[in-house]
Amino acid sequence: MTAPAKRIRITVGGVQLEAELRKTKTAEEVYAALPVTTAISTWGEEFYFPIPGVRDYRETATTQVKVGDIALWGAGKVLAIFFGRTPMSMGADPVPADRVNIIGRIVGDATRFRQVMEVSTIHLEPG
């Protein structure tokens, strides 16, 4: 019997969503680094922020992401949460600035983060 996927809670302002992590080494390191409260930056409808001490094992290296994906951009040592279009989007899907390692996915409606794009901090904790 396999263990269930690990869950985390992500809070930005008044919006709290859960995410399910993939069963990868990189996702395990992100989970082990929690809880984290840090400043966030936005790039279109993407939050990104530093997550110290996490190594990118590059289990995936892709520019193909969907709304709700959570990915580590190893080159920038940041975690990215995609909740809509980015400046590189040609259609409805977000497009990251570079290849990313997808480590999880928002459970529910990730577009709710559009309501809190002016908030300056994010909090992640084990769910």
Side-chain angles (χ1 to χ4, degrees):
M1 188 161 169
T2 59
K6 290 187 172 158
R7 287 195 169 216
I8 61 173
R9 266 189 304 279
I10 304 165
T11 306
V12 180
V15 174
Q16 184 177 86
L17 293 172
E18 287 199 354
E20 194 169 88
L21 298 182
R22 290 184 171 185
K23 294 176 183 173
T24 65
K25 283 185 180 182
T26 305
E28 286 289 329
E29 287 203 8
V30 168
Y31 190 83
L34 303 181
V36 167
T37 301
T38 190
I40 49 175
S41 299
T42 57
W43 191 60
E45 293 176 333
E46 169 193 332
F47 288 142
Y48 67 94
F49 50 92
I51 186 139
V54 174
R55 181 168 173 219
D56 186 358
Y57 290 93
R58 306 293 280 176
E59 293 96 347
T60 65
T62 184
T63 56
Q64 304 294 307
V65 298
K66 298 285 186 194
V67 169
D69 282 344
I70 301 170
L72 187 73
W73 179 38
K77 295 186 166 60
V78 297
L79 201 62
I81 300 173
F82 298 95
F83 56 93
R85 294 172 48 87
T86 63
M88 291 181 63
S89 294
M90 299 299 267
D93 289 335
V95 177
D98 194 5
R99 293 182 309 159
V100 295
N101 181 5
I102 298 172
I103 62 131
R105 181 151 184 81
I106 298 291
V107 177
D109 184 6
T111 65
R112 289 183 54 215
F113 283 136
R114 291 176 181 157
Q115 303 165 21
V116 290
M117 289 179 66
E118 75 290 346
V119 174
S120 61
T121 60
I122 189 167
H123 179 73
L124 284 80
E125 62 189 336

